[in-house]
Amino acid sequence: MQKTLLLKKLNKEATARPPVWFMRQAGRVLPSYNKIKENYSFREMMANPEIAADVTLLPIKDLGVDAAILFSDILVVPVAMGMELEWTANGPLFPTPLSNYLSPVDHLNTSPQKLEHIYQVIDEIIEKRDNSTPLIGFCGSPLTTMCYMLQGESRKHDFPEAVKFLYQNERESQKLIDAITELSVYYAQKQIEHGVDVFQLFETHAGLIPFELYQEFFIPAVEKISNAVRSKGTPFIYFPKGLGTGLKYVTPDLCDYVSIDWQMPLTDARQLVHSEVGLQGNIDPRLLYSSKERISKELEKYKSYFANNNNRWIMNLGHGFLPDIPFENAKFVVDWVKNSKWY
Ligand code: CP3
């Protein structure tokens, strides 16, 4: 693997421009992805190493981003823990959510072999990629993963049954967190053994509970996954959406980079986060619905940030692409980043 822009940045080196990639870049906004989707379901695409590898690499060709992210989903971990998952028009659904039970872990049946097909996807990507394309692996962080497992679906965005369960059954919740963390540690290390260059932990629902509760139950779990990744020499990016002022507890012990959501200006996040931790983000994905003039004006603001924090910033969104974002605006952002004079 060449030491490309993203890897240099993760190593806190100064570069002529920031690297750029997008959460949820593999799919949805790409016309080429939607074409493949005419013939295969999402589940079929994920399960087929050749197709999943091709989809992973599509945004490199079509958008020109500086990294590929594995085409899979965070919910493969609950499936490997024995849960049945359906992909419906309304998103993922676990027909038997764990909040139905008093002791959820007793109803799980973990078989790590169920993740094998994902390592085949990684092998295929490593074979097909240009060796200047770093590959980002990922999994869901324990709170986000647990929310889906307990609630069963995401239509209620505040996951009421999941949070109620956490408050009502602390001991059982802790057992579930431990079980998710254990498999995530194993899964992350296997991804690295198969060749991922960078690992990102998706904690989309960090803002769901008070920070102190998050700190008590979930930060130790994040630390375990982070240590497992970094013990292999792989950079670790943590995306705790909605963490807010909890960002002031994000230190180099926890992660190398933290991905900032769109709620907070990057300069404010910079003041909260420990100075040795790099920042990633934080364009509002919905900005990409607007005009090119508006997009350029917003992007322009990042220039002074880059001038002051060159060695510690990766450009990305503050959350994933939405399905109906125009492809040409996504491409516009990448071209803008590459063609702008950053100094
Ligand atoms: O970033 C990438 O492009 C890599 C692949 C990736 C997917 N999901 C593929 C996907 C990643 C990193 C994820 C993470 C994920 N999955 C998260 C955390 C990040 C976030 O966006 O909040 C969560 C919460 C999930 C669970 C999930 N998967 C939901 C709620 C849904 C349905 C709603 C939606 O956003 O589409 C999915 C489906 C999903 N995962 C799709 C893709 C490409 C859409 C499938 C399709 O094309 O219909």
Side-chain angles (χ1 to χ4, degrees):
M1 178 81 240
Q2 282 175 17
K3 203 162 179 207
T4 51
L5 204 54
L6 180 72
L7 297 181
K8 281 187 185 153
K9 205 46 81 183
L10 288 163
N11 203 28
K12 317 268 166 65
E13 291 175 30
T15 51
R17 67 163 176 89
V20 57
W21 70 278
F22 303 110
M23 288 187 260
R24 297 295 190 96
Q25 68 184 19
R28 38 182 53 169
V29 303
L30 305 177
S32 51
Y33 171 81
N34 290 322
K35 212 165 159 41
I36 300 175
K37 227 187 138 189
E38 284 170 14
N39 298 319
Y40 302 93
S41 69
F42 177 51
R43 187 193 284 270
E44 284 167 344
M45 280 192 265
M46 277 201 296
N48 181 323
E50 201 151 310
I51 295 174
D54 288 345
V55 172
T56 300
L57 294 170
L58 287 178
I60 303 292
K61 263 191 294 181
D62 296 1
L63 287 172
V65 285
D66 294 308
I69 178 162
L70 175 66
F71 183 73
S72 182
D73 196 86
I74 63 167
L75 300 179
V76 296
V77 165
V79 170
M81 294 175 82
M83 291 188 76
E84 190 195 325
L85 171 64
E86 291 169 16
W87 290 98
T88 73
N90 294 320
L93 173 75
F94 293 104
T96 318
L98 294 184
S99 60
N100 287 354
Y101 306 116
L102 278 175
S103 50
V105 286
D106 297 340
H107 296 265
L108 293 171
N109 176 20
T110 300
S111 41
Q113 310 84 270
K114 284 196 177 161
L115 296 165
E116 282 299 322
H117 68 281
I118 298 161
Y119 315 133
Q120 287 172 28
V121 177
I122 297 172
D123 294 345
E124 191 82 20
I125 298 166
I126 301 296
E127 211 175 292
K128 284 185 169 157
R129 75 167 175 192
D130 177 314
N131 89 348
S132 64
T133 301
L135 176 62
I136 303 168
F138 70 91
C139 72
S141 200
L143 170 62
T144 299
T145 308
M146 183 171 113
C147 280
Y148 281 92
M149 292 171 80
L150 288 169
Q151 187 77 33
E153 55 160 351
S154 59
R155 256 186 307 171
K156 292 183 184 147
H157 292 296
D158 51 354
F159 294 88
E161 293 306 321
V163 177
K164 185 169 154 191
F165 190 93
L166 174 63
Y167 275 112
Q168 285 185 330
N169 304 285
E170 285 191 15
R171 279 188 51 184
E172 289 301 324
S173 297
Q174 189 61 60
K175 282 198 222 162
L176 184 55
I177 295 165
D178 291 345
I180 295 168
T181 306
E182 193 184 331
L183 184 59
S184 302
V185 160
Y186 170 83
Y187 179 43
Q189 291 195 324
K190 283 290 250 189
Q191 289 187 40
I192 293 165
E193 282 162 26
H194 282 262
V196 309
D197 304 291
V198 178
F199 193 85
Q200 176 155 318
L201 191 69
F202 283 88
E203 188 71 288
T204 308
H205 301 296
L208 202 60
I209 56 173
F211 178 71
E212 275 128 331
L213 190 65
Y214 185 78
Q215 202 171 24
E216 181 184 345
F217 281 89
F218 298 97
I219 291 283
V222 173
E223 263 166 356
K224 280 186 198 147
I225 300 169
S226 171
N227 290 342
V229 167
R230 295 200 286 175
S231 71
K232 299 251 178 200
T234 303
F236 180 77
I237 308 174
Y238 172 44
F239 173 52
K241 185 169 182 291
L243 197 69
T245 55
L247 284 172
K248 65 179 178 231
Y249 297 98
V250 174
T251 64
D253 288 342
L254 196 62
C255 58
D256 298 300
Y257 265 68
V258 61
S259 202
I260 306 297
D261 58 45
W262 46 263
Q263 278 113 323
M264 187 186 288
L266 211 49
T267 41
D268 290 1
R270 187 63 280 169
Q271 285 182 353
L272 290 168
V273 175
H274 189 288
S275 63
E276 282 166 40
V277 176
L279 302 190
Q280 176 176 269
N282 69 337
I283 306 165
D284 182 354
R286 296 157 299 182
L287 171 68
L288 275 71
Y289 289 131
S290 99
S291 66
K292 295 203 169 66
E293 290 69 36
R294 175 86 198 180
I295 296 171
S296 319
K297 205 170 128 210
E298 290 297 320
L299 293 178
E300 202 64 46
K301 294 182 189 166
Y302 286 95
K303 281 194 176 163
S304 62
Y305 180 81
F306 183 70
N308 296 324
N309 300 281
N310 177 323
N311 59 343
R312 293 171 303 166
W313 177 51
I314 296 163
M315 185 178 252
N316 203 314
L317 303 173
H319 195 186
F321 274 141
L322 296 148
D324 55 350
I325 279 176
F327 168 76
E328 57 170 73
N329 285 356
K331 177 92 175 95
F332 177 78
V333 173
V334 178
D335 291 344
W336 193 96
V337 171
K338 288 184 166 175
N339 299 330
S340 286
K341 231 178 129 17
W342 283 90
Y343 281 111

